[in-house]
Amino acid sequence: APTTEIEEVLQNVRMIVGVWRSEVPLDREMGIDPSLIDAPIGAARARLMTSLADTIKRCEPRASLQSIDFRSDVAEGIVQPIITVNVEE
């Protein structure tokens, strides 16, 4: 359980970016767009940035997205976002 508001916001952001859309019963729009699976890496990165920015802004307004970097393994077809947020108190 988070002990500060900052920890709470960061926990919420981790949950938001850790689920696929339609997985959360009362908020089917929360999470990452599953159509990104098997998309070409360049297209997936661009769409993932938009998806994450929109979802974080809508679901956790206390967090403002500062940057999204990517760690990629092209051989494995893996794109891992590295997200930096600012918590507004």
Side-chain angles (χ1 to χ4, degrees):
T3 58
T4 67
E5 183 176 2
I6 291 172
E7 289 177 5
E8 177 184 338
V9 172
L10 294 176
Q11 176 181 311
N12 290 348
V13 170
R14 279 190 302 274
M15 193 197 74
I16 291 165
V17 302
V19 298
W20 295 106
R21 277 199 190 137
S22 80
E23 281 189 320
V24 180
L26 297 176
D27 191 353
R28 298 291 184 186
E29 292 300 312
M30 181 167 54
I32 298 172
D33 182 358
S35 71
L36 298 174
I37 297 172
D38 295 331
I41 288 182
R45 285 175 132 184
R47 290 176 39 210
L48 182 59
M49 288 179 75
T50 302
S51 178
L52 289 172
D54 292 346
T55 302
I56 290 170
K57 184 177 181 178
R58 186 179 65 77
C59 295
E60 183 48 88
R62 297 173 292 177
S64 59
L65 186 62
Q66 297 301 304
S67 67
I68 301 175
D69 294 316
F70 293 94
R71 191 175 310 148
S72 300
D73 184 338
V74 177
E76 294 291 323
I78 296 171
V79 175
Q80 180 181 22
I82 310 298
I83 301 165
T84 305
V85 295
N86 185 33
V87 177
E88 299 173 13
E89 297 181 70

